[in-house]
Amino acid sequence: MDDEENFYAHPSTLLGALRRGMGRGVIQAMDDPAAAVEAVLSCLRRDHRWSWDVDERAVYLARLVCDLEIPIDRLLAVLDQTPPEDDENGAALTLEVLEALGRAGHRQAIDGVRRHIIQGPHWLQALHVVGPSWDAELWDDLYPRLRDRIATVDRRLILCRSLPWTRWAAQDERVAAAIVDARNASARPLSEPAADPELAQARRWAATPDHPQYWLAVWVLARTGDEHDVPALLEAVGRVPTRDGGLGWCYRHLVAGLTRIGGDRAAQIVPRLKRLWFSPHTYERAAVLKALMVFAPAGEPPWQLLEGLWDCEADVRELAAAHVQFTDTTRARLRYLRGDPMETSEVRAAAAQRLG
């Protein structure tokens, strides 16, 4: 975590917890709403997700917007004030939050996004975000007002395999042509992916951390290895923060491998897992929580289950909903998750099953 200190506030602080999408951030926000409003807005202006592609924040931040009663106009102001290049991904994340609010029927969010699509700078991205998930009645009538804007767009930027473009293709020759181009491109033969190495070969490569195939090798060990490979996997987990391969190789595969193998030697990862719980790369957090559950002493469930009910990652919330111990607090949170229209169907189902 040392290389993150200049970008992320400490996880014990409100801002640090919110930037990491941690459950404690929600709880702290409710204790200090005045400070939390500005903290949430700062998380929208600058997207602090480690990976914009896979780390989740939309539902987490959308719930905070509702709970803190942050005016939708302040979110729309982030869109309007963010330059078109959106180097810090603030407009993209804000649109994801507004999309989640719109799915829950938040009329101000819906109307605000519609206005932005008509005249705002991030209108094309807004269509890409809300088209596939909002009912067509919320955006289909906008096409006549967008015809001229669409005519100026490089058609390679049109996500032509999804709504609204597949629906609008019948009305717009440029959109129809973009769909044809994409289909022709997808029909071209792709090169065959390289085969994974055999287990014996992977063990040889994994014994040399500088080997060019080191990370592929330890991934194979995580997937198919046994107790003999635990030392190599533990070493690989320890090397994750400084590996040259960057975030292309994520530690969740290594953690899942050690969890699958199990045993006392694999349990040596627990201190590392407790630190990884605070990682801003939240896509990995469910694997960390599952491992903490597996390696926890009998009758001592990890405390992270409680915090996980408020986490930014749906997979973490699902695990927590299925396994957290019952208290008045957790029952109330499970009822909230069961009924929240922004929540995933998997989390709602897990909460409903626990409540009976």
Side-chain angles (χ1 to χ4, degrees):
M1 302 287 287
D2 293 342
D3 56 347
E4 299 159 11
E5 291 180 355
N6 292 331
F7 190 64
Y8 295 95
H10 195 275
S12 65
T13 66
L14 170 63
L15 191 59
L18 292 176
R19 287 176 176 176
R20 291 170 173 82
M22 303 191 73
R24 67 188 61 198
V26 179
I27 297 169
Q28 291 176 30
M30 295 302 102
D31 289 339
D32 189 358
V37 169
E38 289 306 317
V40 169
L41 290 171
S42 76
C43 290
L44 293 175
R45 296 186 191 103
R46 184 179 187 184
D47 187 351
H48 283 80
R49 288 178 292 181
W50 188 282
S51 171
W52 296 341
D53 293 328
V54 295
D55 292 339
E56 297 178 15
R57 291 296 187 279
V59 170
Y60 178 86
L61 292 172
R63 284 172 171 159
L64 283 165
V65 168
C66 291
D67 293 344
L68 295 169
E69 298 182 348
I70 299 175
I72 296 299
D73 285 346
R74 301 199 67 178
L75 277 68
L76 297 172
V78 173
L79 285 184
D80 293 335
Q81 295 165 9
T82 302
E85 55 271 20
D86 196 17
D87 291 337
E88 295 183 337
N89 210 50
L93 178 56
T94 301
L95 283 168
E96 291 179 26
V97 172
L98 289 165
E99 180 274 335
L101 292 167
R103 279 191 288 109
H106 197 301
R107 194 65 235 182
Q108 287 181 300
I110 294 169
D111 292 342
V113 172
R114 283 172 55 86
R115 288 194 301 271
H116 191 86
I117 290 172
I118 294 169
Q119 59 189 22
H122 303 282
W123 67 278
L124 188 62
Q125 190 167 20
L127 282 172
H128 292 166
V129 171
V130 305
S133 61
W134 284 7
D135 290 340
E137 65 185 23
L138 298 179
W139 48 256
D140 194 32
D141 64 317
L142 298 177
Y143 173 76
R145 305 181 68 175
L146 297 176
R147 187 181 293 109
D148 291 342
R149 300 194 88 175
I150 293 172
T152 67
V153 172
D154 183 339
R155 69 190 194 192
R156 291 173 297 181
L157 299 178
I158 294 175
L159 300 183
C160 51
R161 295 188 181 183
S162 64
L163 293 168
W165 310 109
T166 52
R167 188 178 181 97
W168 288 349
Q171 307 173 63
D172 194 300
E173 293 182 359
R174 285 178 55 82
V175 175
I179 291 177
V180 171
D181 288 348
R183 287 175 179 168
N184 289 339
S186 65
R188 296 170 190 153
L190 301 176
S191 58
E192 290 292 328
D196 291 340
E198 298 294 334
L199 184 58
Q201 185 180 43
R203 284 170 171 158
R204 289 194 297 272
W205 291 353
T208 307
D210 293 333
H211 194 284
Q213 300 298 328
Y214 173 78
W215 290 104
L216 175 60
V218 294
W219 183 82
V220 172
L221 298 186
R223 191 178 62 178
T224 62
D226 56 32
E227 63 274 8
H228 300 293
D229 301 303
V230 167
L233 293 174
L234 288 172
E235 180 182 353
V237 171
R239 290 172 56 84
V240 165
T242 57
R243 67 195 189 280
D244 293 334
L247 286 170
W249 291 99
C250 297
Y251 57 76
R252 68 188 180 95
H253 299 296
L254 306 177
V255 171
L258 288 164
T259 306
R260 175 184 60 81
I261 295 169
D264 291 341
R265 285 204 298 175
Q268 294 175 37
I269 196 179
V270 168
R272 176 70 169 159
L273 292 174
K274 291 179 178 178
R275 295 193 298 274
L276 288 174
W277 178 253
F278 299 97
S279 169
H281 191 16
T282 57
Y283 180 62
E284 318 284 343
R285 197 172 284 160
V288 171
L289 179 57
K290 186 173 182 180
L292 288 169
M293 291 167 54
V294 169
F295 292 123
E300 299 181 23
W303 58 262
Q304 290 87 350
L305 281 171
L306 174 60
E307 184 174 9
L309 289 175
W310 285 265
D311 196 76
C312 65
E313 293 288 331
D315 288 349
V316 172
R317 298 194 299 273
E318 183 180 356
L319 273 173
H323 298 284
V324 72
Q325 290 185 313
F326 277 133
T327 66
D328 290 344
T329 298
T330 59
R331 286 181 187 274
R333 186 60 180 177
L334 288 170
R335 288 193 293 269
Y336 178 97
L337 296 176
R338 180 182 61 184
D340 184 5
M342 288 188 287
E343 189 54 87
T344 67
S345 58
E346 293 82 3
V347 176
R348 292 199 304 269
Q353 185 172 0
R354 283 300 304 284
L355 291 168

